[in-house]
PDB file of all heavy atoms in Angstrom:
ATOM      1  N   ILE A   6     114.198 109.321  96.733  1.00 91.00           N
ATOM      2  CA  ILE A   6     115.175 108.346  97.011  1.00 91.00           C
ATOM      3  C   ILE A   6     115.611 108.234  98.470  1.00 91.00           C
ATOM      4  O   ILE A   6     115.956 107.171  98.882  1.00 91.00           O
ATOM      5  CB  ILE A   6     116.509 108.654  96.034  1.00 91.00           C
ATOM      6  CG1 ILE A   6     117.411 107.422  96.004  1.00 91.00           C
ATOM      7  CG2 ILE A   6     117.235 109.838  96.651  1.00 91.00           C
ATOM      8  CD1 ILE A   6     116.829 106.348  95.286  1.00 91.00           C
ATOM      9  N   VAL A   7     115.438 109.323  99.201  1.00 92.00           N
ATOM     10  CA  VAL A   7     115.774 109.243 100.600  1.00 92.00           C
ATOM     11  C   VAL A   7     114.757 108.470 101.386  1.00 92.00           C
ATOM     12  O   VAL A   7     115.024 107.886 102.439  1.00 92.00           O
ATOM     13  CB  VAL A   7     115.889 110.696 101.170  1.00 92.00           C
ATOM     14  CG1 VAL A   7     114.525 111.253 101.524  1.00 92.00           C
ATOM     15  CG2 VAL A   7     116.706 110.709 102.542  1.00 92.00           C
ATOM     16  N   THR A   8     113.542 108.331 100.919  1.00 92.00           N
ATOM     17  CA  THR A   8     112.534 107.519 101.416  1.00 92.00           C
ATOM     18  C   THR A   8     112.926 106.017 101.431  1.00 92.00           C
ATOM     19  O   THR A   8     112.810 105.218 102.345  1.00 92.00           O
ATOM     20  CB  THR A   8     111.248 107.621 100.787  1.00 92.00           C
ATOM     21  OG1 THR A   8     110.849 109.024 100.813  1.00 92.00           O
ATOM     22  CG2 THR A   8     110.114 106.761 101.461  1.00 92.00           C
ATOM     23  N   PHE A   9     113.609 105.706 100.209  1.00 93.00           N
ATOM     24  CA  PHE A   9     114.169 104.377 100.056  1.00 93.00           C
ATOM     25  C   PHE A   9     115.229 103.991 101.046  1.00 93.00           C
ATOM     26  O   PHE A   9     115.248 102.951 101.615  1.00 93.00           O
ATOM     27  CB  PHE A   9     114.685 104.293  98.553  1.00 93.00           C
ATOM     28  CG  PHE A   9     115.516 102.913  98.297  1.00 93.00           C
ATOM     29  CD1 PHE A   9     114.899 101.728  98.294  1.00 93.00           C
ATOM     30  CD2 PHE A   9     116.862 103.049  98.359  1.00 93.00           C
ATOM     31  CE1 PHE A   9     115.637 100.614  98.045  1.00 93.00           C
ATOM     32  CE2 PHE A   9     117.684 101.862  98.166  1.00 93.00           C
ATOM     33  CZ  PHE A   9     117.043 100.622  98.078  1.00 93.00           C
ATOM     34  N   PHE A  10     116.096 104.901 101.379  1.00 93.00           N
ATOM     35  CA  PHE A  10     117.117 104.669 102.226  1.00 93.00           C
ATOM     36  C   PHE A  10     116.690 104.589 103.696  1.00 93.00           C
ATOM     37  O   PHE A  10     117.176 103.839 104.512  1.00 93.00           O
ATOM     38  CB  PHE A  10     118.220 105.764 102.193  1.00 93.00           C
ATOM     39  CG  PHE A  10     119.095 105.579 100.868  1.00 93.00           C
ATOM     40  CD1 PHE A  10     118.938 106.727  99.894  1.00 93.00           C
ATOM     41  CD2 PHE A  10     119.817 104.562 100.653  1.00 93.00           C
ATOM     42  CE1 PHE A  10     119.720 106.549  98.803  1.00 93.00           C
ATOM     43  CE2 PHE A  10     120.563 104.534  99.414  1.00 93.00           C
ATOM     44  CZ  PHE A  10     120.462 105.472  98.435  1.00 93.00           C
ATOM     45  N   TYR A  11     115.657 105.413 104.057  1.00 94.00           N
ATOM     46  CA  TYR A  11     115.111 105.341 105.402  1.00 94.00           C
ATOM     47  C   TYR A  11     114.434 104.007 105.629  1.00 94.00           C
ATOM     48  O   TYR A  11     114.555 103.349 106.619  1.00 94.00           O
ATOM     49  CB  TYR A  11     113.917 106.373 105.553  1.00 94.00           C
ATOM     50  CG  TYR A  11     114.497 107.747 105.863  1.00 94.00           C
ATOM     51  CD1 TYR A  11     114.056 108.972 105.227  1.00 94.00           C
ATOM     52  CD2 TYR A  11     115.464 107.956 106.846  1.00 94.00           C
ATOM     53  CE1 TYR A  11     114.566 110.076 105.625  1.00 94.00           C
ATOM     54  CE2 TYR A  11     115.929 109.137 107.260  1.00 94.00           C
ATOM     55  CZ  TYR A  11     115.380 110.233 106.448  1.00 94.00           C
ATOM     56  OH  TYR A  11     115.963 111.556 106.902  1.00 94.00           O
ATOM     57  N   MET A  12     113.730 103.419 104.539  1.00 94.00           N
ATOM     58  CA  MET A  12     113.013 102.132 104.621  1.00 94.00           C
ATOM     59  C   MET A  12     114.153 101.007 104.804  1.00 94.00           C
ATOM     60  O   MET A  12     113.928 100.029 105.522  1.00 94.00           O
ATOM     61  CB  MET A  12     112.056 101.879 103.537  1.00 94.00           C
ATOM     62  CG  MET A  12     111.048 102.853 103.375  1.00 94.00           C
ATOM     63  SD  MET A  12     109.879 102.639 102.041  1.00 94.00           S
ATOM     64  CE  MET A  12     109.132 101.161 102.492  1.00 94.00           C
ATOM     65  N   TYR A  13     115.127 101.157 103.965  1.00 94.00           N
ATOM     66  CA  TYR A  13     116.264 100.117 104.150  1.00 94.00           C
ATOM     67  C   TYR A  13     116.853 100.127 105.574  1.00 94.00           C
ATOM     68  O   TYR A  13     117.204  99.177 106.114  1.00 94.00           O
ATOM     69  CB  TYR A  13     117.345 100.344 103.161  1.00 94.00           C
ATOM     70  CG  TYR A  13     118.529  99.601 103.274  1.00 94.00           C
ATOM     71  CD1 TYR A  13     118.584  98.266 102.949  1.00 94.00           C
ATOM     72  CD2 TYR A  13     119.734 100.125 103.780  1.00 94.00           C
ATOM     73  CE1 TYR A  13     119.680  97.475 103.087  1.00 94.00           C
ATOM     74  CE2 TYR A  13     120.915  99.296 103.977  1.00 94.00           C
ATOM     75  CZ  TYR A  13     120.872  98.061 103.489  1.00 94.00           C
ATOM     76  OH  TYR A  13     122.073  97.261 103.774  1.00 94.00           O
ATOM     77  N   ALA A  14     116.989 101.362 106.136  1.00 94.00           N
ATOM     78  CA  ALA A  14     117.479 101.450 107.521  1.00 94.00           C
ATOM     79  C   ALA A  14     116.508 100.750 108.424  1.00 94.00           C
ATOM     80  O   ALA A  14     117.069  99.976 109.414  1.00 94.00           O
ATOM     81  CB  ALA A  14     117.829 102.869 107.923  1.00 94.00           C
ATOM     82  N   LEU A  15     115.330 100.926 108.332  1.00 94.00           N
ATOM     83  CA  LEU A  15     114.280 100.234 109.220  1.00 94.00           C
ATOM     84  C   LEU A  15     114.425  98.742 109.052  1.00 94.00           C
ATOM     85  O   LEU A  15     114.266  98.021 110.046  1.00 94.00           O
ATOM     86  CB  LEU A  15     112.820 100.665 108.842  1.00 94.00           C
ATOM     87  CG  LEU A  15     112.606 102.155 109.319  1.00 94.00           C
ATOM     88  CD1 LEU A  15     111.172 102.374 108.795  1.00 94.00           C
ATOM     89  CD2 LEU A  15     112.717 102.230 110.868  1.00 94.00           C
ATOM     90  N   ILE A  16     114.660  98.246 107.839  1.00 93.00           N
ATOM     91  CA  ILE A  16     114.764  96.748 107.696  1.00 93.00           C
ATOM     92  C   ILE A  16     115.966  96.207 108.239  1.00 93.00           C
ATOM     93  O   ILE A  16     115.858  95.239 109.150  1.00 93.00           O
ATOM     94  CB  ILE A  16     114.843  96.527 106.057  1.00 93.00           C
ATOM     95  CG1 ILE A  16     113.545  96.713 105.366  1.00 93.00           C
ATOM     96  CG2 ILE A  16     115.322  94.989 105.979  1.00 93.00           C
ATOM     97  CD1 ILE A  16     113.663  96.548 103.773  1.00 93.00           C
ATOM     98  N   GLU A  17     116.978  96.837 108.266  1.00 92.00           N
ATOM     99  CA  GLU A  17     118.289  96.424 108.962  1.00 92.00           C
ATOM    100  C   GLU A  17     118.138  96.521 110.468  1.00 92.00           C
ATOM    101  O   GLU A  17     118.692  95.640 111.195  1.00 92.00           O
ATOM    102  CB  GLU A  17     119.451  97.333 108.407  1.00 92.00           C
ATOM    103  CG  GLU A  17     119.793  97.003 106.874  1.00 92.00           C
ATOM    104  CD  GLU A  17     119.930  95.536 106.512  1.00 92.00           C
ATOM    105  OE1 GLU A  17     120.728  94.877 107.407  1.00 92.00           O
ATOM    106  OE2 GLU A  17     119.460  95.146 105.663  1.00 92.00           O
ATOM    107  N   LEU A  18     117.403  97.501 110.927  1.00 92.00           N
ATOM    108  CA  LEU A  18     117.336  97.699 112.312  1.00 92.00           C
ATOM    109  C   LEU A  18     116.432  96.412 112.877  1.00 92.00           C
ATOM    110  O   LEU A  18     116.686  95.864 113.951  1.00 92.00           O
ATOM    111  CB  LEU A  18     116.674  99.033 112.738  1.00 92.00           C
ATOM    112  CG  LEU A  18     116.306  99.399 114.186  1.00 92.00           C
ATOM    113  CD1 LEU A  18     117.647  99.318 115.017  1.00 92.00           C
ATOM    114  CD2 LEU A  18     115.625 100.588 114.319  1.00 92.00           C
ATOM    115  N   LEU A  19     115.338  96.239 112.186  1.00 92.00           N
ATOM    116  CA  LEU A  19     114.476  95.067 112.613  1.00 92.00           C
ATOM    117  C   LEU A  19     115.177  93.760 112.389  1.00 92.00           C
ATOM    118  O   LEU A  19     114.933  92.808 113.232  1.00 92.00           O
ATOM    119  CB  LEU A  19     113.158  95.115 111.751  1.00 92.00           C
ATOM    120  CG  LEU A  19     112.037  94.111 112.271  1.00 92.00           C
ATOM    121  CD1 LEU A  19     111.692  94.434 113.604  1.00 92.00           C
ATOM    122  CD2 LEU A  19     110.863  94.249 111.365  1.00 92.00           C
ATOM    123  N   ALA A  20     116.045  93.569 111.369  1.00 90.00           N
ATOM    124  CA  ALA A  20     116.816  92.366 111.219  1.00 90.00           C
ATOM    125  C   ALA A  20     117.722  92.037 112.339  1.00 90.00           C
ATOM    126  O   ALA A  20     118.030  90.931 112.716  1.00 90.00           O
ATOM    127  CB  ALA A  20     117.570  92.307 109.888  1.00 90.00           C
ATOM    128  N   ILE A  21     118.125  92.964 113.130  1.00 89.00           N
ATOM    129  CA  ILE A  21     118.979  92.740 114.233  1.00 89.00           C
ATOM    130  C   ILE A  21     118.285  92.009 115.240  1.00 89.00           C
ATOM    131  O   ILE A  21     118.752  91.059 115.802  1.00 89.00           O
ATOM    132  CB  ILE A  21     119.585  94.165 114.809  1.00 89.00           C
ATOM    133  CG1 ILE A  21     120.391  94.780 113.771  1.00 89.00           C
ATOM    134  CG2 ILE A  21     120.146  93.937 116.160  1.00 89.00           C
ATOM    135  CD1 ILE A  21     120.848  96.251 114.324  1.00 89.00           C
ATOM    136  N   PHE A  22     117.012  92.298 115.546  1.00 90.00           N
ATOM    137  CA  PHE A  22     116.189  91.607 116.473  1.00 90.00           C
ATOM    138  C   PHE A  22     115.878  90.202 115.944  1.00 90.00           C
ATOM    139  O   PHE A  22     115.737  89.172 116.822  1.00 90.00           O
ATOM    140  CB  PHE A  22     115.037  92.270 116.889  1.00 90.00           C
ATOM    141  CG  PHE A  22     115.289  93.644 117.481  1.00 90.00           C
ATOM    142  CD1 PHE A  22     115.361  94.900 116.664  1.00 90.00           C
ATOM    143  CD2 PHE A  22     115.510  93.773 118.855  1.00 90.00           C
ATOM    144  CE1 PHE A  22     115.746  96.006 117.360  1.00 90.00           C
ATOM    145  CE2 PHE A  22     115.799  95.008 119.468  1.00 90.00           C
ATOM    146  CZ  PHE A  22     115.865  96.111 118.718  1.00 90.00           C
ATOM    147  N   LEU A  23     115.593  89.958 114.640  1.00 87.00           N
ATOM    148  CA  LEU A  23     115.153  88.641 114.299  1.00 87.00           C
ATOM    149  C   LEU A  23     116.358  87.756 113.913  1.00 87.00           C
ATOM    150  O   LEU A  23     116.248  86.602 114.301  1.00 87.00           O
ATOM    151  CB  LEU A  23     114.342  88.944 112.896  1.00 87.00           C
ATOM    152  CG  LEU A  23     113.081  89.698 113.171  1.00 87.00           C
ATOM    153  CD1 LEU A  23     112.406  89.887 111.700  1.00 87.00           C
ATOM    154  CD2 LEU A  23     112.074  88.850 113.992  1.00 87.00           C
ATOM    155  N   ASP A  24     117.313  88.215 113.273  1.00 83.00           N
ATOM    156  CA  ASP A  24     118.467  87.358 112.884  1.00 83.00           C
ATOM    157  C   ASP A  24     119.349  87.017 114.131  1.00 83.00           C
ATOM    158  O   ASP A  24     120.028  85.845 114.045  1.00 83.00           O
ATOM    159  CB  ASP A  24     119.365  88.024 111.813  1.00 83.00           C
ATOM    160  CG  ASP A  24     118.472  88.263 110.592  1.00 83.00           C
ATOM    161  OD1 ASP A  24     117.442  87.595 110.345  1.00 83.00           O
ATOM    162  OD2 ASP A  24     118.787  89.025 109.678  1.00 83.00           O
ATOM    163  N   SER A  25     119.558  87.884 115.071  1.00 81.00           N
ATOM    164  CA  SER A  25     120.465  87.593 116.061  1.00 81.00           C
ATOM    165  C   SER A  25     119.832  86.757 117.218  1.00 81.00           C
ATOM    166  O   SER A  25     120.531  86.347 118.211  1.00 81.00           O
ATOM    167  CB  SER A  25     120.894  88.927 116.696  1.00 81.00           C
ATOM    168  OG  SER A  25     119.888  89.670 117.263  1.00 81.00           O
ATOM    169  N   GLY A  26     118.562  86.489 117.121  1.00 81.00           N
ATOM    170  CA  GLY A  26     117.887  85.660 118.313  1.00 81.00           C
ATOM    171  C   GLY A  26     117.438  86.407 119.346  1.00 81.00           C
ATOM    172  O   GLY A  26     117.057  85.958 120.547  1.00 81.00           O
ATOM    173  N   ILE A  27     117.452  87.786 119.391  1.00 88.00           N
ATOM    174  CA  ILE A  27     116.987  88.670 120.534  1.00 88.00           C
ATOM    175  C   ILE A  27     115.532  88.405 120.654  1.00 88.00           C
ATOM    176  O   ILE A  27     115.054  88.235 121.916  1.00 88.00           O
ATOM    177  CB  ILE A  27     117.257  90.150 120.240  1.00 88.00           C
ATOM    178  CG1 ILE A  27     118.776  90.416 120.083  1.00 88.00           C
ATOM    179  CG2 ILE A  27     116.582  91.030 121.233  1.00 88.00           C
ATOM    180  CD1 ILE A  27     119.110  91.824 119.773  1.00 88.00           C
ATOM    181  N   ILE A  28     114.773  88.141 119.633  1.00 86.00           N
ATOM    182  CA  ILE A  28     113.435  87.691 119.686  1.00 86.00           C
ATOM    183  C   ILE A  28     113.558  86.268 119.398  1.00 86.00           C
ATOM    184  O   ILE A  28     113.615  85.851 118.230  1.00 86.00           O
ATOM    185  CB  ILE A  28     112.559  88.483 118.718  1.00 86.00           C
ATOM    186  CG1 ILE A  28     112.589  90.004 119.060  1.00 86.00           C
ATOM    187  CG2 ILE A  28     111.090  87.905 118.848  1.00 86.00           C
ATOM    188  CD1 ILE A  28     111.693  90.880 118.079  1.00 86.00           C
ATOM    189  N   PRO A  29     113.111  85.309 120.270  1.00 87.00           N
ATOM    190  CA  PRO A  29     113.294  83.850 120.023  1.00 87.00           C
ATOM    191  C   PRO A  29     112.135  83.444 118.985  1.00 87.00           C
ATOM    192  O   PRO A  29     111.142  83.942 118.923  1.00 87.00           O
ATOM    193  CB  PRO A  29     113.115  83.249 121.405  1.00 87.00           C
ATOM    194  CG  PRO A  29     113.343  84.371 122.260  1.00 87.00           C
ATOM    195  CD  PRO A  29     112.997  85.582 121.705  1.00 87.00           C
ATOM    196  N   THR A  30     112.618  82.450 118.265  1.00 84.00           N
ATOM    197  CA  THR A  30     111.637  81.910 117.143  1.00 84.00           C
ATOM    198  C   THR A  30     110.440  81.332 117.833  1.00 84.00           C
ATOM    199  O   THR A  30     109.295  81.254 117.307  1.00 84.00           O
ATOM    200  CB  THR A  30     112.223  80.999 116.246  1.00 84.00           C
ATOM    201  OG1 THR A  30     112.763  79.867 117.116  1.00 84.00           O
ATOM    202  CG2 THR A  30     113.386  81.544 115.442  1.00 84.00           C
ATOM    203  N   ALA A  31     110.562  80.876 119.132  1.00 85.00           N
ATOM    204  CA  ALA A  31     109.410  80.269 119.702  1.00 85.00           C
ATOM    205  C   ALA A  31     108.623  81.265 120.465  1.00 85.00           C
ATOM    206  O   ALA A  31     107.492  80.943 121.021  1.00 85.00           O
ATOM    207  CB  ALA A  31     109.911  79.331 120.879  1.00 85.00           C
ATOM    208  N   SER A  32     108.934  82.496 120.441  1.00 87.00           N
ATOM    209  CA  SER A  32     108.049  83.641 121.077  1.00 87.00           C
ATOM    210  C   SER A  32     106.861  83.775 120.340  1.00 87.00           C
ATOM    211  O   SER A  32     106.750  83.674 119.059  1.00 87.00           O
ATOM    212  CB  SER A  32     108.893  84.798 121.159  1.00 87.00           C
ATOM    213  OG  SER A  32     108.090  85.893 121.653  1.00 87.00           O
ATOM    214  N   THR A  33     105.845  84.153 120.947  1.00 88.00           N
ATOM    215  CA  THR A  33     104.521  84.400 120.415  1.00 88.00           C
ATOM    216  C   THR A  33     104.493  85.692 119.541  1.00 88.00           C
ATOM    217  O   THR A  33     103.635  85.781 118.592  1.00 88.00           O
ATOM    218  CB  THR A  33     103.371  84.484 121.384  1.00 88.00           C
ATOM    219  OG1 THR A  33     103.765  85.504 122.281  1.00 88.00           O
ATOM    220  CG2 THR A  33     103.193  83.244 122.178  1.00 88.00           C
ATOM    221  N   VAL A  34     105.366  86.593 119.735  1.00 91.00           N
ATOM    222  CA  VAL A  34     105.364  87.854 118.852  1.00 91.00           C
ATOM    223  C   VAL A  34     106.442  87.742 117.733  1.00 91.00           C
ATOM    224  O   VAL A  34     106.361  88.580 116.862  1.00 91.00           O
ATOM    225  CB  VAL A  34     105.968  89.022 119.831  1.00 91.00           C
ATOM    226  CG1 VAL A  34     104.906  89.243 120.916  1.00 91.00           C
ATOM    227  CG2 VAL A  34     107.369  88.827 120.306  1.00 91.00           C
ATOM    228  N   TYR A  35     107.096  86.574 117.620  1.00 91.00           N
ATOM    229  CA  TYR A  35     108.005  86.397 116.560  1.00 91.00           C
ATOM    230  C   TYR A  35     107.293  86.430 115.166  1.00 91.00           C
ATOM    231  O   TYR A  35     107.761  87.132 114.239  1.00 91.00           O
ATOM    232  CB  TYR A  35     108.781  85.163 116.623  1.00 91.00           C
ATOM    233  CG  TYR A  35     109.850  84.908 115.641  1.00 91.00           C
ATOM    234  CD1 TYR A  35     111.133  85.535 115.783  1.00 91.00           C
ATOM    235  CD2 TYR A  35     109.576  84.186 114.514  1.00 91.00           C
ATOM    236  CE1 TYR A  35     112.139  85.284 114.789  1.00 91.00           C
ATOM    237  CE2 TYR A  35     110.568  83.913 113.559  1.00 91.00           C
ATOM    238  CZ  TYR A  35     111.854  84.620 113.792  1.00 91.00           C
ATOM    239  OH  TYR A  35     112.751  84.508 112.732  1.00 91.00           O
ATOM    240  N   PRO A  36     106.163  85.726 114.999  1.00 91.00           N
ATOM    241  CA  PRO A  36     105.571  85.898 113.697  1.00 91.00           C
ATOM    242  C   PRO A  36     105.057  87.235 113.295  1.00 91.00           C
ATOM    243  O   PRO A  36     105.085  87.681 112.173  1.00 91.00           O
ATOM    244  CB  PRO A  36     104.253  84.937 113.816  1.00 91.00           C
ATOM    245  CG  PRO A  36     104.599  83.996 114.964  1.00 91.00           C
ATOM    246  CD  PRO A  36     105.420  84.831 115.891  1.00 91.00           C
ATOM    247  N   TRP A  37     104.676  88.070 114.270  1.00 93.00           N
ATOM    248  CA  TRP A  37     104.229  89.433 113.984  1.00 93.00           C
ATOM    249  C   TRP A  37     105.450  90.316 113.664  1.00 93.00           C
ATOM    250  O   TRP A  37     105.350  91.043 112.608  1.00 93.00           O
ATOM    251  CB  TRP A  37     103.603  90.026 115.230  1.00 93.00           C
ATOM    252  CG  TRP A  37     102.267  89.293 115.529  1.00 93.00           C
ATOM    253  CD1 TRP A  37     102.071  88.327 116.441  1.00 93.00           C
ATOM    254  CD2 TRP A  37     101.001  89.607 114.987  1.00 93.00           C
ATOM    255  NE1 TRP A  37     100.749  87.888 116.416  1.00 93.00           N
ATOM    256  CE2 TRP A  37     100.039  88.624 115.576  1.00 93.00           C
ATOM    257  CE3 TRP A  37     100.516  90.476 114.007  1.00 93.00           C
ATOM    258  CZ2 TRP A  37      98.712  88.596 115.150  1.00 93.00           C
ATOM    259  CZ3 TRP A  37      99.225  90.416 113.628  1.00 93.00           C
ATOM    260  CH2 TRP A  37      98.243  89.546 114.286  1.00 93.00           C
ATOM    261  N   PHE A  38     106.577  90.161 114.328  1.00 93.00           N
ATOM    262  CA  PHE A  38     107.706  90.946 113.865  1.00 93.00           C
ATOM    263  C   PHE A  38     108.240  90.455 112.461  1.00 93.00           C
ATOM    264  O   PHE A  38     108.692  91.351 111.652  1.00 93.00           O
ATOM    265  CB  PHE A  38     108.890  90.749 114.955  1.00 93.00           C
ATOM    266  CG  PHE A  38     108.802  91.747 116.106  1.00 93.00           C
ATOM    267  CD1 PHE A  38     108.061  91.396 117.198  1.00 93.00           C
ATOM    268  CD2 PHE A  38     109.344  92.889 115.905  1.00 93.00           C
ATOM    269  CE1 PHE A  38     107.991  92.097 118.264  1.00 93.00           C
ATOM    270  CE2 PHE A  38     109.258  93.791 117.102  1.00 93.00           C
ATOM    271  CZ  PHE A  38     108.623  93.350 118.175  1.00 93.00           C
ATOM    272  N   THR A  39     108.037  89.095 112.226  1.00 92.00           N
ATOM    273  CA  THR A  39     108.498  88.681 110.854  1.00 92.00           C
ATOM    274  C   THR A  39     107.627  89.229 109.755  1.00 92.00           C
ATOM    275  O   THR A  39     107.976  89.494 108.735  1.00 92.00           O
ATOM    276  CB  THR A  39     108.483  87.118 110.932  1.00 92.00           C
ATOM    277  OG1 THR A  39     109.296  86.667 111.994  1.00 92.00           O
ATOM    278  CG2 THR A  39     108.920  86.582 109.657  1.00 92.00           C
ATOM    279  N   ALA A  40     106.317  89.324 110.066  1.00 92.00           N
ATOM    280  CA  ALA A  40     105.398  89.840 109.103  1.00 92.00           C
ATOM    281  C   ALA A  40     105.715  91.285 108.852  1.00 92.00           C
ATOM    282  O   ALA A  40     105.579  91.769 107.777  1.00 92.00           O
ATOM    283  CB  ALA A  40     103.881  89.752 109.687  1.00 92.00           C
ATOM    284  N   VAL A  41     106.067  92.043 109.883  1.00 94.00           N
ATOM    285  CA  VAL A  41     106.440  93.404 109.667  1.00 94.00           C
ATOM    286  C   VAL A  41     107.618  93.556 108.888  1.00 94.00           C
ATOM    287  O   VAL A  41     107.737  94.351 107.932  1.00 94.00           O
ATOM    288  CB  VAL A  41     106.567  94.203 111.049  1.00 94.00           C
ATOM    289  CG1 VAL A  41     107.120  95.513 110.865  1.00 94.00           C
ATOM    290  CG2 VAL A  41     105.215  94.182 111.848  1.00 94.00           C
ATOM    291  N   TYR A  42     108.619  92.605 109.077  1.00 94.00           N
ATOM    292  CA  TYR A  42     109.827  92.600 108.262  1.00 94.00           C
ATOM    293  C   TYR A  42     109.604  92.333 106.877  1.00 94.00           C
ATOM    294  O   TYR A  42     110.130  92.977 106.078  1.00 94.00           O
ATOM    295  CB  TYR A  42     110.806  91.562 108.914  1.00 94.00           C
ATOM    296  CG  TYR A  42     112.043  91.313 108.166  1.00 94.00           C
ATOM    297  CD1 TYR A  42     113.120  92.256 108.355  1.00 94.00           C
ATOM    298  CD2 TYR A  42     112.186  90.388 107.303  1.00 94.00           C
ATOM    299  CE1 TYR A  42     114.365  92.039 107.659  1.00 94.00           C
ATOM    300  CE2 TYR A  42     113.477  90.181 106.497  1.00 94.00           C
ATOM    301  CZ  TYR A  42     114.472  91.006 106.787  1.00 94.00           C
ATOM    302  OH  TYR A  42     115.674  90.872 106.096  1.00 94.00           O
ATOM    303  N   CYS A  43     108.800  91.303 106.594  1.00 93.00           N
ATOM    304  CA  CYS A  43     108.448  91.037 105.156  1.00 93.00           C
ATOM    305  C   CYS A  43     107.634  92.106 104.572  1.00 93.00           C
ATOM    306  O   CYS A  43     107.883  92.334 103.370  1.00 93.00           O
ATOM    307  CB  CYS A  43     107.564  89.655 105.298  1.00 93.00           C
ATOM    308  SG  CYS A  43     108.303  88.259 105.678  1.00 93.00           S
ATOM    309  N   GLY A  44     106.807  92.796 105.274  1.00 94.00           N
ATOM    310  CA  GLY A  44     106.167  93.991 104.714  1.00 94.00           C
ATOM    311  C   GLY A  44     107.014  95.096 104.412  1.00 94.00           C
ATOM    312  O   GLY A  44     106.968  95.692 103.350  1.00 94.00           O
ATOM    313  N   LEU A  45     107.998  95.335 105.171  1.00 94.00           N
ATOM    314  CA  LEU A  45     109.007  96.369 104.978  1.00 94.00           C
ATOM    315  C   LEU A  45     109.901  96.030 103.679  1.00 94.00           C
ATOM    316  O   LEU A  45     110.177  96.955 102.851  1.00 94.00           O
ATOM    317  CB  LEU A  45     109.856  96.548 106.119  1.00 94.00           C
ATOM    318  CG  LEU A  45     109.305  97.414 107.392  1.00 94.00           C
ATOM    319  CD1 LEU A  45     110.224  97.479 108.511  1.00 94.00           C
ATOM    320  CD2 LEU A  45     108.940  98.791 106.890  1.00 94.00           C
ATOM    321  N   VAL A  46     110.268  94.767 103.739  1.00 94.00           N
ATOM    322  CA  VAL A  46     111.126  94.321 102.480  1.00 94.00           C
ATOM    323  C   VAL A  46     110.321  94.578 101.138  1.00 94.00           C
ATOM    324  O   VAL A  46     110.788  95.261 100.238  1.00 94.00           O
ATOM    325  CB  VAL A  46     111.483  92.791 102.769  1.00 94.00           C
ATOM    326  CG1 VAL A  46     112.132  92.419 101.372  1.00 94.00           C
ATOM    327  CG2 VAL A  46     112.467  92.783 103.712  1.00 94.00           C
TER     328      VAL A  46
END
């Protein structure tokens, strides 16, 4: 169960960069970060 909470923490950490616009949607790395985010979810 602690593995589940670790993975949830990684999701929220990555969401900070995607949802807040720190990584712009027009950036070339945005699709890769989004793919990692979807994989973690």
